[in-house]
Amino acid sequence: QVQLVESGGGLVKPGGSLRLSCAASGYTFSDYSMSWIRQAPGKGLEWVSHIGKSAVTEKYADPVKGRFTISRDNAKNSLFLQMDSLRDEDTAVYYCAKRTGLGTPYDSWGQGTLVTVSS
Amino acid sequence: EIVLTQSPGTLSLSPGERATLSCRASQSVSSRGLAWYQQKAGQAPRLLLYDASSRATGTPDRFSGSGSGTDFTLTITRLEPEDFAVYYCQQYGDAPQTFGQGTKLEI
């Protein structure tokens, strides 16, 4: 069955960087678009970034544009999120999720990885 | 961007009762672009319904969705103990995609 496993979260100081990974299995990774969605403690869901199945298309939410970079390695069934210039408000659980493409819902989610930005 | 407002914020019901959750959009949403997710404490969200009324794989038939334009509804008939969770609506037909703030369904 589909499995998405995030890693790379942790505690980082404001202004610091972190790289999240998402390992996919149980399906043909290169056939699906992927996204990162985050959830601040006790809050709702916020879409962060999207990448198309061949990595040609990248999209970012305004709060992270210019600071975060999404990428994927289809040969290794992996998704990444490079997060630079981190701010307190980036503190959240970060989920990776798969979708057929833009304009479709998320049919599978990982368990999430916690990113805490604090001095 | 389209803002989704869910109501009520918290809904207190008992097992066996019927739950009606609302999701209202700030502008018209394509009915093919509205989904509902269930999130239990400490878990990732799970897709329940998509295209406003289509059940995702594994979604019990006591869950149903309806609506169009700016008003959408998730109905759960005969609540089971495992249905008590937070429910989010999402519109994915318009960029950027957005989520509602959630409705907590509690016993």
Side-chain angles (χ1 to χ4, degrees):
Chain A
Q1 76 279 18
V2 173
Q3 246 197 329
L4 299 171
V5 180
E6 302 93 337
S7 61
L11 175 63
V12 62
K13 289 181 167 53
S17 298
L18 215 52
R19 189 187 194 218
L20 305 184
S21 300
C22 171
S25 61
Y27 71 103
T28 304
F29 182 69
S30 57
D31 283 349
Y32 291 85
S33 299
M34 298 293 294
S35 287
W36 290 98
I37 297 149
R38 67 186 180 184
Q39 186 170 35
K43 302 296 184 183
L45 302 167
E46 180 187 24
W47 169 74
V48 172
S49 183
H50 163 96
I51 188 167
K53 53 189 178 183
S54 57
V56 171
T57 302
E58 293 178 23
K59 294 188 181 296
Y60 299 91
D62 286 345
V64 308
K65 208 170 286 185
R67 301 188 298 122
F68 290 11
T69 304
I70 192 171
S71 62
R72 64 189 295 162
D73 184 339
N74 285 346
K76 296 184 177 179
N77 294 339
S78 295
L79 173 73
F80 306 100
L81 185 68
Q82 177 66 40
M83 303 187 295
D84 298 320
S85 302
L86 282 162
R87 305 167 180 168
D88 290 350
E89 56 265 34
D90 295 320
T91 294
V93 173
Y94 285 73
Y95 297 101
C96 64
K98 73 181 258 294
R99 65 196 310 198
T100 303
L102 284 171
T104 63
Y106 297 106
D107 55 34
S108 295
W109 299 59
Q111 86 291 348
T113 187
L114 176 61
V115 172
T116 303
V117 184
S118 175
S119 53
Chain B
E1 71 178 41
I2 296 177
V3 176
L4 300 179
T5 302
Q6 293 185 240
S7 61
T10 302
L11 185 58
S12 299
L13 293 170
S14 300
E17 291 191 298
R18 178 189 185 96
T20 303
L21 287 67
S22 172
C23 176
R24 179 163 290 178
S26 60
Q27 59 193 83
S28 187
V29 171
S30 163
S31 60
R32 293 187 58 79
L34 196 287
W36 290 92
Y37 298 86
Q38 177 192 65
Q39 186 177 34
K40 296 181 180 178
Q43 297 185 18
R46 176 175 81 104
L47 178 65
L48 286 178
L49 300 167
Y50 62 95
D51 293 352
S53 60
S54 298
R55 291 187 197 89
T57 302
T59 299
D61 60 8
R62 62 180 181 274
F63 290 88
S64 64
S66 63
S68 64
T70 59
D71 289 293
F72 297 86
T73 300
L74 169 65
T75 301
I76 313 170
T77 57
R78 302 181 312 279
L79 283 165
E80 298 286 343
E82 61 268 26
D83 298 337
F84 292 90
V86 179
Y87 292 84
Y88 294 95
C89 59
Q90 177 213 15
Q91 70 80 20
Y92 49 86
D94 238 61
Q97 58 184 288
T98 49
F99 292 91
Q101 84 281 13
T103 288
K104 181 179 181 181
L105 179 55
E106 65 176 24
I107 297 179

